Amino acid sequence: MSFEEKVLNYMREGAYKPLKIEELTQQLGVEDKRDIKRFHKLLEEMEQEGKIIKTRYARYGVPEKMNLMVGTLQGNQAGFGFIIPNNRDFSDVFVPANQMNGAMHGDNVVARLIKGGSGRNTEGEIIRILKRRSNLIVGRYESGRQYGFVIPDDQRISQDIFIPKSEAKQLKNGMKVQVEITRWPEKRRNPEGIVVDVLGYPGDKGVDTLSIIKKFELPEDFPSQVMKEIKAFSRDLAPEDLEGRMDLRDLPMVTIDGADAKDLDDAVSLHQKDNGNWELGVHIADVGHYVKEGTALDKEAFHRGTSIYLVDRVIPMLPPELSNDLCSLNPQVDRLAMSVFMELNHQGKVVSHDFGPSVIRTQERMTYDDVRDILVDKDENLRKRYQPLVPMFEKMEEMAMILRKNRFDRGALDFAVPEVKVKLDDQGKPIDIVPRPRSIAEMIIEEFMLICNEAVAEHFSRMEAPFVYRVHERPSEAKMQNFREFVHNLGLALKGSPDKIHSRALQALLDEVEGKPEERVVNTLLLRTMQQARYSAHRSPHYGLAAEYYSHFTSPIRRYPDLMIHRLMREYLQGMPPQKRLGKITKNNEAGADRASMRERLAMEAERESVDMKKVEFMEGKEGQEFDAVISGVTSFGLFAELENLVEGLVHVSSMDDDYYHFHEDKLALVGERTGKTYRIGNPVRVILKRASKEDRQIDFVLTDIEND
């Protein structure tokens, strides 16, 4: 147990009352002068992070015992917000507009709870801003008589940023700009700033994606020191590079990826052993051989945390010279890898495993489409072309289906949530939106990577060595109770108390509604009930996968935790490090897990916005057209309708003028006062596109039945 944990545990004791720093020093037995100095610094850091609170009387305590909440503010364009608590055991807290006290979307804040309740009925007022969001904001410049102002692209920032006229001489109305806040908002005063970058006009080629890059402050070019290290790498493997490695260059193995993938970081092999069992090999690019701890390349990878996949480009974690070349498992070339071998019996159980650094040479660069055509369509030309590999593909299909069945039998969740791919022309304009397929080929890779990640995590957990895990906590009791009540209103049963519902019961529910009208609403609501998976230096089960042990080992080209794991595996193969080194590893793991979790959330948000932006652009010019849709969300101000291509738009309640509609939160439905007509998630509807505005990133529909009335 770290000293920080000892402090927190002491403050959480039932009899604890807020103490001054001298009293804490005495109570916790801190006597040495150097230790006292370190203790003072620790308390200061814990206060800055919101783990403890220092009162106006200089006494320390934990926020939950002081009727306080610490978390990140999620703003709303109407001016109010919600605090997403740092402590995952607590529900979100609503903050009225008049209690924001100068806080902005993205700030880390402390709030006093002023109204009790469950879920989002809890209300608070912000009393302290621990850490401001970034001071850079992207928006549209507008000129006024006395000053200019920037309207943020992010609608969760409800206030415009004032720009002094002296700072806006060269700016034109409507320009997209990046502004730096020079004065934060106060209770009755908007923020002020200066323009630091002019991006162009909306509609200009590339401005939309550039706006997202600037909004999320995504890294662009790699620093010169990183590129200097890259240039020092040899394109050829030297004899010393192969020392201590398994030579697997004669083992049949392939990569299986999308046709447009360039960073091929995983290869698979499967062959039968003499005892009748099957040996599954997962071979991952040995990125750690090149990206050494503490180098400029490593520091930049830590900073980026993950590769980010926007619609028209990739912002990689590692330079393309590594990700697309030296570390990419291209066919018929020697590559360094970390290989994991798992012996599987005919029931798909891992009976033994082994791992270590290797040198490999993949036979073929297979695509998902080709593997699917070989296995499903029995394409004669492809089967002839890849004849030596076809028996391995067929056995891979059989083994993947066994692993998949085992996973669902133990309670892993499988959400019926489709994904889309936006196709662009040479000018970056969207020309089509198509579902992203999930064929047997994708399932083979998915199952093999999952079982490998589990095996790696279990091995190092049982070693009791510091490690990095992928964890997924069970849903909060409050959220699960709300979900249970909702499905009960649909006539569905969910067994178990809210704090003990097994994921197997949830998957049984998903199976029960598959193909039924309720399928969409149940899948959507259950997804919203789930916690978000994250990285952690401490192991806990992965609820969604129903896995006791889970890690991310299989994508070190694009995820920093995987790279950390590769380096740890190599180090532990040399024997358990001394205690001092273990302490440093633990500290690095905690910092890396926290950073990667934060960067992953930011990447997901940027990627989603990139797709949504192109969806709106795709719909521009289609005003007046009718579409079949499904209700994907219901709120007090209207309903969201989703088309077959997963484009989503709002049907505002004001356009539903055939009746007065009331929002029933318990049923997530809008119900007509006079007619009793009910609209809920999952209902099919017919809609007309009224407006598609790329500038506002807004799509508006109206219902055809009301329009006809």
Side-chain angles (χ1 to χ4, degrees):
M1 179 188 296
S2 68
F3 191 65
E4 178 181 307
E5 291 173 316
K6 184 178 178 181
V7 172
L8 289 173
N9 288 341
Y10 177 64
M11 290 186 180
R12 286 170 180 155
E13 290 178 1
Y16 178 80
K17 302 294 182 184
L19 299 176
K20 291 186 175 182
I21 195 166
E22 298 82 7
E23 297 169 323
L24 275 171
T25 303
Q26 183 180 5
Q27 289 294 324
L28 292 170
V30 182
E31 298 176 353
D32 185 271
K33 284 186 176 180
R34 284 179 299 178
D35 289 340
I36 291 174
K37 190 174 181 179
R38 291 194 197 102
F39 180 50
H40 285 201
K41 185 178 179 183
L42 174 64
L43 290 183
E44 185 178 327
E45 291 173 352
M46 293 173 71
E47 183 192 359
Q48 289 172 351
E49 294 171 8
K51 294 177 179 177
I52 60 175
I53 298 293
K54 182 180 180 182
T55 71
R56 66 181 66 181
Y57 303 108
R59 294 180 180 274
Y60 291 88
V62 287
E64 57 265 34
K65 294 191 69 174
M66 305 167 83
N67 198 39
L68 301 174
M69 173 71 70
V70 178
T72 302
L73 178 64
Q74 188 176 81
N76 184 281
Q77 59 185 345
F80 60 82
F82 290 94
I83 296 174
I84 314 302
N86 293 348
N87 189 328
R88 295 173 181 83
D89 294 331
F90 295 97
S91 300
D92 301 349
V93 173
F94 173 72
V95 182
N98 63 350
Q99 303 288 3
M100 297 283 275
N101 294 326
M104 293 180 69
H105 168 73
D107 289 347
N108 196 240
V109 300
V110 179
R112 178 183 293 111
L113 304 183
I114 56 177
K115 180 181 176 183
S118 60
R120 290 199 168 190
N121 292 324
T122 307
E123 193 172 301
E125 66 167 326
I126 293 172
I127 62 170
R128 190 178 303 173
I129 297 169
L130 295 173
K131 184 180 179 182
R132 284 289 189 179
R133 54 159 287 126
S134 165
N135 63 346
L136 296 175
I137 291 176
V138 171
R140 186 180 75 251
Y141 177 77
E142 296 290 345
S143 179
R145 285 188 176 183
Q146 306 298 327
Y147 49 81
F149 56 94
V150 171
I151 303 169
D153 282 355
D154 193 335
Q155 296 184 354
R156 294 170 298 186
I157 301 174
S158 60
Q159 297 168 300
D160 300 338
I161 295 93
F162 288 168
I163 308 295
K165 275 290 188 179
S166 59
E167 296 287 343
K169 292 176 182 177
Q170 306 302 319
L171 299 178
K172 305 293 184 184
N173 275 341
M175 278 184 164
K176 276 293 182 72
V177 299
Q178 186 179 44
V179 61
E180 178 184 338
I181 295 177
T182 56
R183 180 170 179 166
W184 293 99
E186 297 170 9
K187 205 160 191 178
R188 292 180 178 83
R189 187 188 185 103
N190 279 37
E192 296 180 11
I194 57 173
V195 172
V196 294
D197 201 355
V198 177
L199 311 183
Y201 286 100
D204 290 352
K205 183 180 178 182
V207 169
D208 50 6
T209 302
L210 182 59
S211 296
I212 290 176
I213 290 172
K214 294 295 185 180
K215 172 183 174 180
F216 290 97
E217 299 177 49
L218 305 182
E220 298 178 76
D221 297 332
F222 284 89
S224 58
Q225 185 59 38
V226 169
M227 300 314 298
K228 185 177 179 181
E229 291 181 359
I230 289 287
K231 288 176 183 176
F233 293 138
S234 171
R235 290 289 180 272
D236 302 313
L237 297 179
E240 55 266 26
D241 294 328
L242 308 185
E243 290 179 4
R245 291 182 178 272
M246 296 179 282
D247 191 338
L248 306 177
R249 285 174 285 191
D250 293 330
L251 179 66
M253 66 177 70
V254 298
T255 60
I256 307 177
D257 292 275
D260 55 354
K262 296 182 177 65
D263 50 349
L264 314 179
D265 58 359
D266 57 84
V268 289
S269 61
L270 187 67
H271 67 273
Q272 193 163 23
K273 294 170 67 71
D274 293 339
N275 63 4
N277 287 342
W278 289 85
E279 185 170 75
L280 169 63
V282 174
H283 315 276
I284 308 299
D286 189 1
V287 180
H289 175 80
Y290 298 95
V291 186
K292 304 293 187 183
E293 184 179 327
T295 60
L297 189 52
D298 177 47
K299 291 174 182 176
E300 182 67 13
F302 173 87
H303 173 70
R304 294 182 177 225
T306 181
S307 294
I308 302 173
Y309 296 84
L310 305 180
V311 168
D312 63 347
R313 73 194 73 185
V314 177
I315 298 177
M317 183 181 80
L318 299 172
E321 289 85 350
L322 274 184
S323 59
N324 296 354
D325 186 9
L326 282 180
C327 292
S328 189
L329 306 182
N330 300 323
Q332 299 301 330
V333 293
D334 292 354
R335 287 288 185 258
L336 303 181
M338 290 291 287
S339 294
V340 175
F341 287 103
M342 293 155 284
E343 182 181 344
L344 301 169
N345 64 20
H346 291 273
Q347 289 74 46
K349 179 179 174 58
V350 178
V351 296
S352 68
H353 69 271
D354 192 16
F355 61 85
S358 62
V359 56
I360 65 172
R361 181 184 296 154
T362 60
Q363 273 65 52
E364 296 285 351
R365 186 258 198 261
M366 301 299 300
T367 67
Y368 290 129
D369 290 343
D370 283 352
V371 173
R372 183 197 65 232
D373 291 345
I374 289 170
L375 295 175
V376 178
D377 298 339
K378 309 294 182 184
D379 185 293
E380 288 299 327
N381 291 330
L382 287 173
R383 290 177 74 88
K384 184 177 181 180
R385 177 181 172 185
Y386 298 112
Q387 184 177 7
L389 296 170
V390 169
M392 182 173 74
F393 293 149
E394 290 175 337
K395 190 62 189 180
M396 283 180 172
E397 176 183 15
E398 179 185 338
M399 188 58 68
M401 291 301 96
I402 292 173
L403 293 174
R404 185 173 174 83
K405 181 180 183 301
N406 291 347
R407 190 160 57 85
F408 291 141
D409 285 348
R410 76 187 186 197
L413 297 173
D414 185 32
F415 292 99
V417 180
E419 296 182 1
V420 297
K421 180 177 181 178
V422 181
K423 294 186 176 181
L424 307 175
D425 64 15
D426 294 339
Q427 299 300 310
K429 301 287 185 182
I431 56 176
D432 201 5
I433 300 175
V434 296
R436 195 178 290 275
R438 192 185 183 197
S439 69
I440 181 58
E442 282 88 356
M443 291 180 189
I444 287 172
I445 295 301
E446 179 182 9
E447 295 304 326
F448 289 179
M449 297 304 117
L450 286 171
I451 195 71
C452 177
N453 284 333
E454 288 186 50
V456 168
E458 181 173 3
H459 179 94
F460 289 100
S461 177
R462 294 192 182 281
M463 272 184 60
E464 297 185 351
F467 207 62
V468 180
Y469 299 94
R470 180 71 168 174
V471 301
H472 184 216
E473 288 95 351
R474 63 170 50 249
S476 69
E477 185 176 347
K479 286 186 176 180
M480 188 55 77
Q481 179 61 32
N482 291 338
F483 176 75
R484 185 177 182 177
E485 290 173 0
F486 179 81
V487 297
H488 177 75
N489 289 333
L490 295 177
L492 300 167
L494 186 59
K495 297 179 180 179
S497 59
D499 61 330
K500 295 181 180 178
I501 291 177
H502 195 279
S503 56
R504 191 181 296 111
L506 297 176
Q507 184 57 48
L509 180 66
L510 295 178
D511 293 338
E512 183 181 350
V513 298
E514 185 177 0
K516 297 180 180 179
E518 303 93 332
E519 180 179 18
R520 180 57 180 268
V521 64
V522 171
N523 271 271
T524 301
L525 263 295
L526 183 54
L527 258 179
R528 294 176 186 172
T529 301
M530 292 290 108
Q531 301 271 28
Q532 189 168 14
R534 60 186 177 88
Y535 297 103
S536 175
H538 307 283
R539 187 196 70 81
S540 69
H542 194 294
Y543 185 81
L545 292 173
E548 281 296 315
Y549 309 91
Y550 196 65
S551 63
H552 272 174
F553 157 78
T554 50
S555 292
I557 281 179
R558 62 184 180 90
R559 295 188 305 224
Y560 192 77
D562 305 53
L563 171 58
M564 295 173 68
I565 284 176
H566 277 232
R567 291 196 293 233
L568 289 174
M569 291 173 73
R570 181 182 284 103
E571 185 167 353
Y572 292 153
L573 281 170
Q574 308 304 316
M576 191 63 76
Q579 200 61 41
K580 186 176 180 179
R581 172 61 183 162
L582 287 174
K584 184 178 180 181
I585 290 174
T586 299
K587 190 173 181 179
N588 289 346
N589 290 351
E590 290 172 348
D594 289 346
R595 175 70 183 176
S597 296
M598 183 272 286
R599 295 297 296 176
E600 179 188 46
R601 290 191 293 272
L602 181 140
M604 290 171 59
E605 194 172 348
E607 290 167 0
R608 189 182 305 118
E609 185 162 322
S610 173
V611 172
D612 289 345
M613 177 184 61
K614 291 299 182 183
K615 285 181 178 179
V616 177
E617 187 177 358
F618 180 73
M619 296 302 291
E620 286 184 334
K622 296 179 174 62
E623 289 81 0
Q625 295 184 26
E626 290 190 16
F627 303 91
D628 289 321
V630 172
I631 297 176
S632 55
V634 181
T635 71
S636 58
F637 54 84
L639 55 89
F640 290 92
E642 187 176 84
L643 310 187
E644 292 177 354
N645 60 7
L646 301 190
V647 168
E648 187 180 63
L650 174 67
V651 177
H652 200 275
V653 69
S654 62
S655 71
M656 302 167 63
D657 54 10
D658 63 330
D659 202 347
Y660 291 106
Y661 285 88
H662 300 284
F663 179 53
H664 291 242
E665 188 174 5
D666 59 332
K667 300 176 182 177
L668 280 183
L670 284 173
V671 180
E673 181 180 293
R674 176 178 53 84
T675 62
K677 190 185 292 186
T678 301
Y679 294 97
R680 62 159 52 98
I681 295 177
N683 288 165
V685 289
R686 184 84 174 161
V687 297
I688 299 171
L689 178 64
K690 277 295 185 184
R691 186 177 76 103
S693 172
K694 185 179 174 184
E695 187 172 327
D696 297 334
R697 297 178 190 176
Q698 180 76 33
I699 293 175
D700 293 325
F701 292 124
V702 294
L703 299 172
T704 57
D705 56 346
I706 293 176
E707 182 79 359
N708 291 337
D709 289 343

